[in-house]
Amino acid sequence: MVQARDAEALEREKDRLREIDARPGRLRRWKGYWSLSGPGWVQSALTLGAGSAGSSIFAGAVFGYDLLWVQPVAMFLGVVMFSAIGHQALTTQARPYDVFRKKLHPALAVSWGAVVFLASIIWQFPQYALAVSVSRDIFDVAGLDVPRAPIALALLIAGTALCWSYGSGSRRAVRLFERALKYLVLLMCLFFIIVVAKTGVDFKALLKGFFGFHIPRDREGLTILLGALGAAVGVNMTFLYPYTLLARGWGKEHQGLKNFDLVASMFLPFVLTTSLVVIACANTLHVQGIQVRAAVDAAHALAPVAGIAVGRIVFSLGILGMCFTTLTIEMVICGFVLSEMLGFEPRGWRYRAATMTANIGILGAFAPTPFWLPVLASSVALVMMPIAYIAFFILQNKRSYLGDAVNRGLKGTVWNILLLLAILVVAAGAVVKILSLI
């Protein structure tokens, strides 16, 4: 799947990209880029899951608007690092796992792959648990008591069908997969826009929340903050992103498109969606002093203010969409990781069997799962992030790897400062998390 099988289609896309790059005016170029975007939507679909939902609901319920700044800052630093990762993949066309093994150390490659694989399985548990819970609540509005098993099975079948289309070996299938995720993410945003339109916005508090940079000092607040940082960019995304670029057949010509895609398809949808959830919960749960233990509790608390249709159905559908897209992508990641670690191509029956390992997490639909588990899990994942970030930072400055594509001069200095800042933030978060567990 990593190889560009549809050579003619790829060449047509390159011709179109050259035409777009030659257009006068940024707006006209951005319009053209929008039609070609894709890998960024895959990242949005992954990161907008149970962890992001849990962190955002908790942040809004406990701190109101105060922590609105966390998600944009976390994702901005993530985009900086992913831009560097994308630069490496597009320049070299090399598979990242192989690069880690040959250019850094085999033990680092194995550790990276193993951590990503285990994290992807662990993350399936809260996705299934939360998706099944909100689905049952939606059915409850209609007076139906639907058991957990049929809902979990439906999620498994739908997620598998979408995931396996990605590993069909066709670049066209990859493009259709990305478009499906794109529309699902946009639909999520629409659901939460409707909820916020019903609850209203305190614009003064909104500005203070985005630019006040409030930092909680209590343990619960730090866990929520770290959970938000960990849910924004996970260690499994560092593995997935370069492979999505290679699967599209993107190369050096796509550097500008890659940067646009990260901003328009990854940064903006994530910040918009999580901010809307925080605002909705701040307007209702925080104002009324309501303590929530689950997304279903949040939906019930929203119902008196926004109405049953918006509170318990639209809000819950948004949460369901977040979980569904994430559980699908976690399957894709498990397929990628096992194919690299065991040495087979990411397509065919072996790839499909590898993707199914993620669905051990379906057990989460049947065992009681505390609502704080996704937040805690994303905080623990934050501990794993600095290693991957440092590895990509080294590669970004390794001339024997990138050759003349290594950024030099003022541009290189600025990039290195931003990358080091991203590393310091995730490392600081990891240290704080470790100390909080002692």
Side-chain angles (χ1 to χ4, degrees), residues 97 100 105-118 235 341 384 387:
Y97 184 85
F100 271 46
H105 197 281
L108 179 60
V110 172
S111 300
W112 183 43
V115 167
V116 169
F117 179 68
L118 291 174
V235 68
M341 296 186 74
M384 307 174 187
I387 297 174

Side-chain angles (χ1 to χ4, degrees), residues 119-375:
S120 296
I121 293 177
I122 291 171
W123 269 110
Q124 285 294 71
F125 284 84
Q127 308 309 325
Y128 273 105
L130 189 53
V132 169
S133 294
V134 297
S135 297
R136 294 191 74 206
D137 192 60
I138 292 171
F139 284 118
D140 183 62
V141 175
L144 300 174
D145 184 14
V146 181
R148 291 178 172 272
I151 298 174
L153 183 60
L155 289 168
L156 174 64
I157 293 172
T160 300
L162 189 57
C163 169
W164 284 5
S165 71
Y166 196 72
S168 65
S170 166
R171 187 173 176 275
R172 176 180 171 81
V174 170
R175 190 74 180 105
L176 290 174
F177 176 84
E178 292 173 346
R179 284 179 179 171
L181 293 178
K182 174 181 180 178
Y183 294 126
L184 282 171
V185 171
L186 291 174
L187 188 61
M188 276 185 250
C189 293
L190 176 62
F191 286 149
F192 293 122
I193 287 172
I194 294 172
V195 174
V196 170
K198 282 284 187 176
T199 63
V201 179
D202 183 341
F203 289 99
K204 183 178 179 181
L206 183 74
L207 290 174
K208 184 178 179 182
F210 276 120
F211 302 106
F213 301 104
H214 173 75
I215 298 178
R217 297 186 179 182
D218 59 296
R219 184 167 183 170
E220 179 188 26
L222 285 174
T223 300
I224 293 173
L225 188 150
L226 291 171
L229 288 172
V233 177
V235 68
N236 47 4
M237 292 173 66
T238 64
F239 197 102
L240 174 67
Y241 180 61
Y243 283 93
T244 61
L245 297 177
L246 295 174
R248 280 290 300 276
W250 284 10
K252 295 179 181 179
E253 306 90 344
H254 294 78
Q255 291 283 3
L257 174 59
K258 176 260 298 180
N259 292 331
F260 172 87
D261 187 50
L262 283 172
V263 174
S265 307
M266 180 176 166
F267 179 84
L268 292 179
F270 177 82
V271 172
L272 177 61
T273 302
T274 53
S275 297
L276 289 170
V277 174
V278 171
I279 293 168
C281 293
N283 291 340
T284 53
L285 307 180
H286 181 69
V287 169
Q288 299 175 48
I290 298 175
Q291 298 294 320
V292 295
R293 293 175 297 173
V296 173
D297 296 337
H300 281 247
L302 282 167
V305 178
I308 292 178
V310 173
R312 290 187 61 185
I313 297 179
V314 175
F315 181 80
S316 295
L317 283 173
I319 299 296
L320 174 61
M322 293 174 77
C323 295
F324 175 71
T325 55
T326 299
L327 71 86
T328 302
I329 304 299
E330 298 292 9
M331 295 173 63
V332 172
I333 294 173
C334 284
F336 274 140
V337 173
L338 288 184
S339 68
E340 290 293 71
M341 296 186 74
L342 300 181
F344 59 86
E345 288 300 307
R347 56 178 176 266
W349 70 267
R350 284 185 293 185
Y351 168 78
R352 293 182 174 184
T355 64
M356 295 306 290
T357 57
N359 288 315
I360 297 171
I362 198 173
L363 296 175
F366 306 101
T369 304
F371 183 53
W372 47 261
L373 182 59
V375 181

Side-chain angles (χ1 to χ4, degrees), residues 4 43 93 109 143 147 198 256 282 299 318 330 351 354 402 414 426:
Q43 307 308 310
Q93 295 291 293
K198 282 284 187 176
E330 298 292 9
Y351 168 78
L402 290 180
V414 172
V426 295

